[in-house]
Amino acid sequence: MSEYLTYKEACEILHLKSYKGLYYLIKNGLPVIVIGNSKRINANDLKKFMEDHTVTATPKD
């Protein structure tokens, strides 16, 4: 796996079927690297973002 992911690669890792979910994550703080016309997501940033936004589900009584 490359250190810098394309949007398509990030979607595959997250098992997203469209870019809509990825755009939602970006809107909510997932960092994007822009170089010219190319946009990439750092694999470590993606992992940290997901870890920081993980919640523990508790069953309702």
Side-chain angles (χ1 to χ4, degrees), residues 13-32:
I13 289 170
L14 297 171
H15 303 287
L16 299 173
K17 294 183 181 188
S18 72
Y19 292 121
K20 188 175 182 178
L22 185 62
Y23 294 142
Y24 175 81
L25 298 177
I26 292 168
K27 181 180 174 184
N28 284 284
L30 177 62
V32 174

Side-chain angles (χ1 to χ4, degrees), residues 42-55:
N42 183 296
N44 292 325
D45 288 345
L46 178 60
K47 182 178 178 185
K48 182 171 178 358
F49 181 85
M50 296 307 288
E51 287 171 353
D52 291 347
H53 291 84
T54 298
V55 296

